[in-house]
């Protein structure tokens, strides 16, 4: 039993260290330089050993995104549902600004996921559904307390705040002075009718 | 003189046919399959001939994006500034939905442009500045006529409508039932305070 547990733990640790190595290599070498061979070398494992954990590069990077999302959820969304999801998303984006490779991985996988057979395709579908539910749910909660009017559409607002967060990354890549978390918060407030600039005159 | 003109025209036509071939190959083979060699074959030109026009794959795809943007501007933005830029952007996005490779190229180059030495990096910077100016300018015009209140921030609105258009692509990749042009129009109206769901209660 002890041996099984130890083997299992060792596997989990090895898996995590490969994912960390993949992120480091991607950051240093860019997309084209981040081969399985280079990642294996960085993780101090044989190529065959790496392939035992992650059979293809597509699987490896999709799992890396999954792992990073899980870590971000634990760090930023542990306060949900008592905390405002707009503020939590903004905090997560602030971390993204400090490490541009995180945004790059997301863009890279989104491009790849246009192929329906890519593992990121199914993963992103789940991810967007989950995020959508978090925001739409919160708007409905605000409506139940009367803080947001019944004429607001929770599904549109959820779609729009997620699009704002994904979309602002592009402009930020061209102009690093853009305050991405600030943009997300301002859009969230605007959509909820909380910001002065959206009040119809 | 005639010979020079003919040579020039032949060059322009060859250049355009290589870009068309690149788009076809990208659509059929995906990013990893779209090598310069495959594109040269598709365009019925030697690899050396292709490299004469486009020295690297990065330059080729950046020029392809530039060419597609120019064509879209001629098709959709010829009516600007007399027509509403939100409607024009929505029309351009409708064309994107019919040919997903157009969105894929944009994502692919945006990922690559995270490297400041990539030719797409400078190109996107110009492109976002131009788009921003078009939208901010239009909001200021609406403010001058009194159609939009002075408390609206033209620069925020321009940034936000462009982010909405870029961002909604991601969700659409996971759920093709999303009406991307409709989302952009709704967001544009919301930002301008024209839509009922943004009127604060």
């Amino acid at each position: 039993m002890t041996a099984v547990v130890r083997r299992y733990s060792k596997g989990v640790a090895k898996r995590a260290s490969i994912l960390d190595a993949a992120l480091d290599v991607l950051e240093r070498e860019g997309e084209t330089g981040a081969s399985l061979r280079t990642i294996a070398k960085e993780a101090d494992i044989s190529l065959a050993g790496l392939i035992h954990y992650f059979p293809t590069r597509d699987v490896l990077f999709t799992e890396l995104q999954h792992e990073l999302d899980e870590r971000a959820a634990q760090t930023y969304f542990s306060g949900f549902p008592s905390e405002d999801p707009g503020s939590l998303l903004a905090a997560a984006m602030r971390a993204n600004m400090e490490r541009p490779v995180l945004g790059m991985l997301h863009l890279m996988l989104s491009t790849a996921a246009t192929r329906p057979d890519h593992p990121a395709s199914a993963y992103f579908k789940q991810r967007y559904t989950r995020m959508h539910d978090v925001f739409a749910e919160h708007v409905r909660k605000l409506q139940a307390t009367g803080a947001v009017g019944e004429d607001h559409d929770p599904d549109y607002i959820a779609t729009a705040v997620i699009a704002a967060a994904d979309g602002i990354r592009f402009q930020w890549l061209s102009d690093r002075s853009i305050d991405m978390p600030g943009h997300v918060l301002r859009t969230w407030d605007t959509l909820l009718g909380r910001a002065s600039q959206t009040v119809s005159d």
Side-chain angles (χ1 to χ4, degrees), chain A residues 18-30:
Chain A
I18 294 168
L19 292 177
D20 285 333
L23 189 64
D24 288 342
V25 170
L26 190 65
E27 190 164 43
R28 203 177 57 226
E29 315 273 343

Side-chain angles (χ1 to χ4, degrees), chain A residues 65 68-70 72-73 76-77 80 84-93 96 106 110 122-140 154-169 184 188:
Chain A
Q65 179 73 58
L68 293 169
D69 287 341
E70 289 297 319
Y76 302 105
F77 277 74
F80 188 80
D84 179 86
S87 308
L88 299 171
L89 180 60
M93 290 192 81
N96 259 262
H106 181 238
S110 299
Y123 174 64
F124 277 122
K125 210 180 282 271
Q126 280 174 16
R127 186 176 188 260
Y128 281 115
T129 304
R130 205 170 54 221
M131 279 183 81
H132 184 101
D133 290 349
V134 161
F135 281 99
E137 183 76 12
H138 191 77
V139 176
R140 288 192 191 95
D155 286 314
Y156 164 69
I157 293 175
T159 300
V161 72
I162 297 166
D166 280 344
I168 196 62
R169 293 171 195 268
V184 169
W188 175 232

Side-chain angles (χ1 to χ4, degrees), chain A residues 56-60 62-63 112-113 115-124:
Chain A
T56 68
R57 194 169 168 271
D58 290 348
V59 168
L60 172 61
T62 303
E63 287 299 307
R115 287 190 283 125
D117 62 325
H118 192 286
S121 179
Y123 174 64
F124 277 122

Side-chain angles (χ1 to χ4, degrees), chain A residues 15 17 20 31 53 55 89 97 116 138 190 193:
Chain A
R15 200 175 167 284
S17 86
D20 285 333
E31 185 178 358
Y53 290 96
L89 180 60
M97 288 174 79
H138 191 77
T190 300

Side-chain angles (χ1 to χ4, degrees), chain A residues 17-26 28-29 33-47 50 54 57 60-61 64:
Chain A
S17 86
I18 294 168
L19 292 177
D20 285 333
L23 189 64
D24 288 342
V25 170
L26 190 65
R28 203 177 57 226
E29 315 273 343
S35 66
L36 286 185
R37 196 171 295 274
T38 313
I39 294 163
K41 206 177 159 196
E42 179 88 9
D44 199 20
I45 189 175
S46 69
L47 184 59
L50 183 142
F54 303 103
R57 194 169 168 271
L60 172 61
F61 282 117
L64 175 59

